[in-house]
Amino acid sequence: MTVTGIITALIVGLIIGALGRLVVPGKQNIPIWLTMVIGVVAALLGTVLARAFGVADTNGFDWIEFFFQVVLAAIGVALTVGVAGRRGLTR
């Protein structure tokens, strides 16, 4: 992977994290940097999942892959908020 590919993956992950946070209802008491880390991980896992289902390489924009990524980010944000809230880690 080239440096440009890594930078692009990070930027996409940051956007996915922000979208995942917007999808989850209510107030999320976790830092924005943690949301962005969740987004990067969700973007990578969403790409792997899309390739496993054979929908990663389509003509134009890969909407199904994007959907997988945003859903995984929303699940990650919701789980993190739930765990952080239960343990009193929100601040």
Side-chain angles (χ1 to χ4, degrees), residues 6-24:
I6 293 170
I7 292 171
T8 302
L10 288 174
I11 291 171
V12 168
L14 298 176
I15 294 168
I16 295 295
L19 289 173
R21 188 175 180 136
L22 288 173
V23 171
V24 176

Side-chain angles (χ1 to χ4, degrees), residues 61-74:
F61 188 77
D62 296 326
W63 287 103
I64 298 172
E65 180 179 359
F66 179 70
F67 177 75
F68 284 157
Q69 292 171 338
V70 172
V71 167
L72 287 171

Side-chain angles (χ1 to χ4, degrees), residues 37 51 54 73 88:
V37 169
R51 288 184 186 200

Side-chain angles (χ1 to χ4, degrees), residues 20 24-25 28 30 38 72-84:
V24 176
Q28 296 88 30
I30 59 173
I38 292 168
L72 287 171
I75 291 169
V77 168
L79 287 174
T80 304
V81 168
V83 169

